[in-house]
């Protein structure tokens, strides 16, 4: 034993082994997954309850009891009432679409109008509508749209020539079939 005490390297190794064993024991105890039940002892005389590690820890005048940490899944509850309507999100009042003049949507007193069909504007006289004609450039640097003046009209409760009532119609721009317009609708 005297040889062990006098040798510092041996003492350091022994001390390190003891620390490693203590650390391993500590980690093992606290890393163990929790049990699925809680164990307790109910005092038969005064009704007190105390938590214990096992049923064998209960005394003579105590009754061992246990219960699950998590109970079974309960039934789904009834649907709650709907909450209040929130404010519109960004861009909720903005609609864009491309309108193309076709034979089917051409109308008006002189067949120079084109009916725009979109749920955001149909029957909506107060819609703020911005229309631009899509213009191409010819080889001689002239544009493909000989009439750059646009006319945007709401027909109201009456028909306008052959255009239906309650609809927005556009005139001008390229009057040929297939002419296109970019449309932006801003709802107040």
């Amino acid at each position: 034993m005297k040889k062990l005490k006098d040798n510092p390297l041996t003492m350091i190794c022994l001390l390190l082994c003891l620390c490693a064993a203590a650390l391993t024991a500590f980690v093992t105890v606290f890393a163990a997954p929790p049990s699925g039940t809680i164990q307790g002892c109910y005092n038969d005389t005064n009704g007190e309850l105390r938590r214990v590690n096992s049923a064998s820890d209960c005394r003579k005048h105590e009754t061992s009891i246990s219960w699950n940490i998590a109970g079974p899944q309960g039934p789904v509850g009834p649907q709650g009432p709907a909450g209040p309507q929130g404010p519109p999100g960004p861009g909720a009042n903005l609609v864009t679409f491309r309108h193309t003049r076709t034979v089917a949507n051409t109308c008006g007193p002189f067949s120079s109008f084109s009916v725009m069909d979109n749920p955001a504007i149909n029957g909506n006289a107060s819609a703020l509508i911005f229309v631009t004609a899509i213009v191409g450039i010819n080889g001689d640097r002239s544009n493909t749209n000989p009439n750059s003046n646009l006319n945007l009209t709401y027909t109201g409760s009456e028909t306008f020539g052959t255009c239906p009532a309650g609809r927005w119609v556009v005139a001008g721009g390229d009057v040929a079939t297939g002419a296109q317009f970019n449309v932006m609708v801003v709802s107040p």
Side-chain angles (χ1 to χ4, degrees):
M1 184 72 171
K2 187 171 180 170
K3 279 187 171 182
L4 288 178
K5 281 185 173 180
D6 293 339
N7 188 344
L9 184 61
T10 305
M11 290 305 287
I12 290 173
C13 288
L14 183 60
L15 184 61
L16 286 176
C17 288
L18 287 173
C19 288
L23 182 63
T24 302
F26 180 77
V27 169
T28 303
V29 168
F30 287 102
S35 153
T37 61
I38 297 174
Q39 186 68 43
C41 296
Y42 173 78
N43 189 313
D44 298 327
T45 57
N46 63 15
E48 288 183 0
L49 179 67
R50 67 183 181 94
R51 187 180 185 289
V52 293
N53 291 329
S54 70
S56 62
D57 293 336
C58 292
R59 299 177 187 131
K60 283 185 186 180
H61 60 284
E62 292 178 331
T63 302
S64 172
I65 59 171
S66 65
W67 58 93
N68 291 334
I69 290 176
Q73 178 70 35
V76 175
Q79 178 71 32
Q85 177 67 37
N93 62 342
L94 181 69
V95 175
T96 59
F97 63 93
R98 179 163 290 169
H99 171 70
T100 303
R101 184 189 305 268
T102 64
V103 173
N105 66 23
T106 300
C107 67
F110 310 106
S111 293
S112 58
F113 288 89
S114 179
V115 178
M116 292 190 291
D117 182 22
N118 188 283
I121 60 173
N122 293 349
N124 185 359
S126 64
L128 301 173
I129 302 174
F130 301 91
V131 178
T132 58
I134 298 175
V135 177
I137 304 296
N138 293 321
D140 64 355
R141 305 300 294 161
S142 63
N143 69 35
T144 59
N145 182 359
N147 181 2
S148 59
N149 297 321
L150 292 177
N151 178 353
L152 186 63
T153 305
Y154 186 71
T155 60
S157 60
E158 302 289 327
T159 60
F160 179 66
T162 59
C163 299
R167 300 299 280 279
W168 286 92
V169 293
V170 63
D174 188 350
V175 294
T177 299
Q180 293 187 324
F181 303 87
N182 288 324
V183 182
M184 181 174 72
V185 182
V186 180
S187 299

